[in-house]
Structure formats: C-alpha cells, structure tokens
Amino acid sequence: MTERRTKITTSAVLAAVAVLAAVAPVGSAAATTRPSPLADVRIAAHFDLSAGQMPENVALLPDGSADVTFAGGRQVARVSAHGTTRVLATLPAPADGGVGTPVLGFPLTTGIVHTPDGTVYVLYATGTADLTGLWRLSPGQAPRRIAALPADGLPNGLALDARGKQLYITDSVLGVVWTVPVTGGVPIAWSTAPELASAGFLGANGAKVHDGALWVSNLDRGTLLRIPIRPGNRAGAPQLRASGLAGIDDFAFTGRGDDVLAALNGPNGVVRITSDGSSSTVLDAADGLQNPTSVALRGDEVYVLSAAYTTATDPNLLRARLRGHR
C-alpha cells in the first residue's frame, strides 16, 4: 500500500467509525464495576495505525500466537507469543478503493477462525461483488475466495461449529446470519430474525458457537442473543440473554457455563456477562483499551484486541489472566 493510499484509507476508517460513540444505545451505564476477575493485565503488542493495522478479530493458536485481521490494512497477520507481528496475507484491493462498502466506505477484513490443519478463514467486505465474501488461507497458498456474499452487506462475525464442518457468518448491514460449509459454496440464509437487524449503523456483529447454539451480539441494540442450532442445522428462535450493552462487539466464553467476556467498542471497555444477564466492567481505558473489538481465551489467558477506531492513538493487543480458571 502506498503512503498516500494508507493515509486516505486510515482517514476513511476513522471518519466512518467515529459514529460509534454517537450511536451507542441508551443504557451504557448498565455494567457495574466490581472487583475484576482479571489479573496480570498488560499490553502485549502495539500496532501501526498509519498502516491501517486496526485489529478487528482474533483466532488463537496452540503455541500462544494469535492470528488477527487488520481492518484498515486488508490484512491477516500473526502475532507471536512474544508480541512480534508478521503479515500472512493482504487481500486484493477493490478497483474502486472500496468506497462502496456499505456504511463504512472502505474495504475491511473482519471475522477470522482457524482450523487444526492450519487453514485460516476470514471475511472480507468491499462493496463489490467480485471480492466480498468468505476467504480461505491455506498454508503455502495464496488467499482464495470460497463463498461470495452480497456486496450490499457487511460480513462481520465468523464462527465455526463444534464439528469443524460448518461456518456461520453475521451480516451487520443486512441483519442476516449466513451458513456455509468449510469447503465453500453458496451461502444459505440461516436466520433473518428481526433481532439481528441494525438500528441505523451496525446490527448483528460477533458470533460464537457454544453449547448447542449460535450466540450473536448486536452492536446497535446492545444485546447478546442465543440462537439454538436445531437438527438439520436449522435456526431456532433468538433468545435474549443480555441487554444494555452499549457498543457490544465480539465476545468469548470464559469456560464457566454461559459466562462471557465482551468488548464494548464505543464505551471503551470489556465486561463480564454472567448467566443471569447482569454485567460488570473488568477492563477500561485505564488498562490500555483503545476501542476494543474482540476477546479470546486460551485456558486462563485472555486476549483483547483494540482497534483505536475513535481514539486514534494506540491499536494494541492486551493480555491478562483469568483468576480461578478451571
């Protein structure tokens, strides 16, 4: 990416997502502050904002490294356990520069999952029919799109089922959850429930498969939903599990039942959501958060990505330890 293109892209990113703070739903104070279950909080890696290295999503690897998507750079990168960053792939730029990407107006890489054979799956939104969709990065091969998604949508969250066979994709603009096999093909609209719709900016966002259901966050509505996965991979009716979560982005389960750690992008925090739907703040700007986008756990190790979308200061990777993890 040329220096001029980098500056243009970064400016577009910052301008587009500046509305996050303005569109956060009422109820952002719903999360209380309690003694944090997290310890050993530290910034493990810093990223280059001027190069579009705004981390959007993360997939953890067994060796302690993490694969991340850089929204503004169209890139997938690997961050080692020691904090060094190596770009694995850069997805092709759309001919029009991505100005037609819905809502945001710039091309961006979003959701990511990693399978045991080393294959990486990522989502890419460009506003163009030739590039928007699900991409596969196989070891030693160039990135390849394996499923096209609507150019007028914004594929965002990506989740893999328990068998490692089926992928679920949230569309933050169209309010749809798509499903497609890991082998690729034509996506099927798995759920179009009204609870997935936006309220003017971005709706269905993060996605995780947990305990026989797909869990989905809705950024605009500040909600966390549980959608049962019925026999034959049919979607059940969404169940509201938590609300009042202003700017909720991606999230991860702690391993304690339905307890969740969730990133609140605009409010600049991470909250713990318990099975009764109550939430409490466990990390905030004082810990180094800069518009957190996603959370992941490996054992008792917690990883939080911050994209610095509106703070425009320090995109980073924060690590911490979850106390009492079993």
Side-chain angles (χ1 to χ4, degrees), residues 218-258:
N218 187 312
L219 186 144
D220 275 3
R221 300 178 187 275
T223 54
L224 181 62
L225 306 169
R226 180 184 186 273
I227 308 176
I229 301 174
R230 302 298 189 199
N233 195 29
R234 294 178 296 108
Q239 305 160 355
L240 179 65
R241 300 307 296 262
S243 60
L245 302 166
I248 185 172
D249 204 315
D250 207 357
F251 56 92
F253 289 89
T254 67
R256 301 170 180 172
D258 292 342

Side-chain angles (χ1 to χ4, degrees), residues 9 11 15 42 47-48 77 88 147 149 167 175 183 185 262 300 309 311 319 324:
T9 300
S11 297
R42 72 275 189 195
F47 305 117
D48 186 353
L88 300 178
L149 289 164
L167 292 160
T183 51
D300 66 352
Y309 284 140
T311 64
R319 293 184 64 177

Side-chain angles (χ1 to χ4, degrees), residues 63-292:
D63 64 357
S65 61
D67 284 353
V68 304
T69 52
F70 285 142
R74 313 189 325 274
Q75 292 175 329
V76 180
R78 181 159 297 169
V79 183
S80 75
H82 304 292
T84 57
T85 301
R86 175 171 61 92
V87 174
L88 300 178
T90 300
L91 298 188
D96 64 357
V99 295
T101 306
V103 179
L104 299 179
F106 66 93
L108 67 159
T109 47
T110 52
I112 183 170
V113 297
H114 194 283
T115 54
D117 65 358
T119 303
V120 180
Y121 296 87
V122 299
L123 296 174
Y124 189 33
T126 67
T128 61
D130 60 327
L131 296 176
T132 299
L134 174 69
W135 289 67
R136 182 170 60 207
L137 282 66
S138 299
Q141 299 181 24
R144 175 173 171 256
R145 189 174 71 160
I146 61 170
L149 289 164
D152 60 348
L154 191 86
N156 198 336
L158 183 62
L160 182 66
D161 75 353
R163 299 181 302 126
K165 301 294 186 182
Q166 202 75 22
L167 292 160
Y168 299 90
I169 300 164
T170 63
D171 191 306
S172 296
V173 168
L174 299 180
V176 175
V177 174
W178 303 97
T179 186
V180 63
V182 294
T183 51
V186 178
I188 296 172
W190 186 74
S191 178
T192 58
E195 292 90 340
L196 301 171
S198 76
F201 183 51
L202 297 176
N205 199 312
K208 293 290 185 295
V209 172
H210 170 73
D211 194 22
L214 179 70
W215 294 60
V216 176
S217 62
N218 187 312
L219 186 144
D220 275 3
R221 300 178 187 275
T223 54
L224 181 62
L225 306 169
R226 180 184 186 273
I227 308 176
I229 301 174
R230 302 298 189 199
N233 195 29
R234 294 178 296 108
Q239 305 160 355
L240 179 65
R241 300 307 296 262
S243 60
L245 302 166
I248 185 172
D249 204 315
D250 207 357
F251 56 92
F253 289 89
T254 67
R256 301 170 180 172
D258 292 342
D259 279 13
V260 166
L261 292 178
L264 305 187
N265 196 309
N268 215 21
V270 169
V271 296
R272 180 184 182 183
I273 306 167
T274 57
S275 57
D276 64 0
S278 62
S279 61
S280 57
T281 300
V282 298
L283 294 170
D284 58 24
D287 297 298
L289 295 185
Q290 299 266 329
N291 303 129

